[in-house]
Amino acid sequence: MTGDGAFELTSRAGLRGLLDEAWDNLLALVFDRPGVALLLLVALVLFWVAVAVTAYFVFSPSTHARLLRARGPRRWGRTVRSWFLRRGAGLLAWPHALIRAAQRGTTPPEQAPFTLMGRVEGASLRRYDRATPATLPPVLLVHALVTHEWILDLAPGRSFVRDLLERGHDVFMVTWEHPDAPERVQDLAATSWILAACDAEVAQAAGRPVHVVGYCSGGMVAMLRMAMRPAPHVASLTLVATPVDLQVAGGIFSVVRHPELRPSWALDGRGMVPAAVVREVFHLQRRIALRSALARRRLAGEEAAAFDALDRWLFHQRDLEGGIFFDLVDLARANPLVDKGLIDGVMVDPSRITMPTLVALADRDHLVPAGSSLAARHVLPNTTLLDVPSGHVGMLASASSPERL
């Protein structure tokens, strides 16, 4: 080893020792003197108030593409800011630590087997395996952009995918690649092109038109795809818990469309919205994690396994591509799914959606108000409504969801 290398290692060890000693002294000071701890807490609160006030005046409510790019000091600042945002989100999620402890030693239920048909620029197309030939038309599932696809195949008896397979359908699914993948979805216009390529491939593989089913923001992607370009391979469209009128009061889009929202504030150094931030924005709509943790203690067997699988899905969100987040903000502000408008320079015209459409809405949905989904009846010419007595997640993940939905 060279002298310079040895000096560098010694310097690092010395610096680490100084930092550890300073941290120990700080902890000793806090625990030995409650008054000092209170002052530190007040100082921390004032610091975050100052940061919030500064962000309000410094950051723009704009969603211009230039705000997605960050280099040098701006990128370093976003990296530091996102670190604090993730830590704050972790503190808000403390009840999940109780559930994590209860899940220790458990294994997630196995997913239905599938074959990967291919990848299309940031998305994968899978075909679920069948033991017997399909007797009913093919179904293409489009999952939400900001969560994992597990919710559609949660556990035996609570699997939308398996129920469709058992009924005799040929089942396909579009799943979105992780934002860190070499090829990733950059914006909502790209999702429209991807879905158009996927429904054409499914129709070719199955030899007949495909029925598209979108869940939550996956339904928005399906609507945008049909409203942006012709869909000759699509026989029908089903929207499950899908927001249509994004300016209806309440729900998650009340946060996204807020005029005081500074979209660039949520981005990290990679231009992503961290998964922890996405998760807690959803959880803040209804804080039930502590009640869920207490309810978990009363469950056993298959019910406990299904609960654990659902909690894993709720907790493990995906990073959200900044371009998609900016488009969702624009979508909520301009509302082109109700009125014509542009997204990424492409015209969105809901009158192009002429195929039969089923709108399944949950009457206890806290993320997508029923009124938001009901707007499809006034926008789309050939619409049937299905009112499911459940919540946003329960309509897919409850034991009664196969019968209800």
Side-chain angles (χ1 to χ4, degrees), residues 30 33-45:
V30 168
R33 300 184 182 181
V36 174
L38 180 60
L39 287 175
L40 287 174
L41 180 61
V42 171
L44 185 61
V45 170

Side-chain angles (χ1 to χ4, degrees), residues 335-350:
N335 214 22
L337 292 176
V338 174
D339 304 310
K340 292 181 183 180
L342 296 175
I343 288 291
D344 297 317
V346 182
M347 174 59 69
V348 178
D349 184 0

